[in-house]
Amino acid sequence: MLIAIGSDHAGLEIKTEITPILRELGHEYVDYGSDTAQAVDYPDFGEKVSDAVSAGNADRGILVCGTGIGMSIVANKFPNIRASLCNELLSAKMSRLHNDANILVLGGRIIGKDLAKEIVRTWMTTPFEGGRHLDRINKIAIVEEKTKRDHRVKLGMSR
Ligand code: RB5
């Protein structure tokens, strides 16, 4: 798979630590930055990665900021994105099994390097279970469409 990765300054160290795992598992990645310890704004990097996955230019994404919260908020604004903040292993496993998460978000100031690597390994190797969970994620897509439509109507815009 092609994985889009990105971080702000607070996630840079963990992002650097996890890239060898992606290669080891046979994946390619594109790094959308940041690549400096200088303070940057997480929405700028969250947007690039989320847009790549949403548009189908990457199969999945991984985002890292300080807590993972800001990146999660940004990523879940994008169509077709199911971003999951996983700072422990059970969430990493369940977000794939039940939610078919396509962006993994990590909190670089919350977890250590070894745990981050294990989370990435688990998230990258756990398949989606499908079945009733597919029905549920299809409902998320319906909510997304309906919300967009209702919002346009509220704003008095044509459909
Ligand atoms: C940066 O200080 C920090 O706010 C950011 O990395 C992230 O944790 C935001 O949610």
Side-chain angles (χ1 to χ4, degrees), residues 8-10 42 65-70 109:
D8 67 357
H9 54 290
Y42 63 82
C65 65
T67 57
I69 295 170
R109 288 175 176 160

Side-chain angles (χ1 to χ4, degrees), residues 73-118:
I73 294 170
V74 172
N76 281 311
K77 299 284 181 202
F78 282 74
N80 312 315
I81 294 301
R82 292 177 302 281
S84 56
L85 172 54
C86 302
N87 284 327
E88 32 69 37
L89 286 167
L90 183 60
S91 295
K93 184 177 161 192
M94 299 313 291
S95 75
R96 289 291 313 134
L97 283 176
H98 286 193
N99 311 111
D100 197 19
N102 50 11
I103 294 188
L104 168 68
V105 189
L106 301 168
R109 288 175 176 160
I110 307 285
I111 54 173
K113 294 172 192 171
D114 289 344
L115 180 55
K117 288 179 194 170
E118 277 313 297

Side-chain angles (χ1 to χ4, degrees), residues 97-158:
L97 283 176
H98 286 193
N99 311 111
D100 197 19
N102 50 11
I103 294 188
L104 168 68
V105 189
L106 301 168
R109 288 175 176 160
I110 307 285
I111 54 173
K113 294 172 192 171
D114 289 344
L115 180 55
K117 288 179 194 170
E118 277 313 297
I119 289 171
V120 168
R121 195 181 291 282
T122 299
W123 192 78
M124 289 302 306
T125 56
T126 303
F128 177 46
E129 245 176 36
R132 67 185 189 283
H133 303 296
L134 178 60
D135 298 340
R136 289 166 185 164
I137 66 167
N138 285 339
K139 283 195 175 188
I140 299 175
I142 292 168
V143 169
E144 190 176 296
E145 277 311 307
K146 190 171 168 289
T147 308
K148 263 192 266 174
R149 204 173 47 234
D150 291 352
H151 191 65
R152 280 199 294 271
V153 169
K154 263 186 218 149
L155 290 174
M157 294 162 72
S158 59

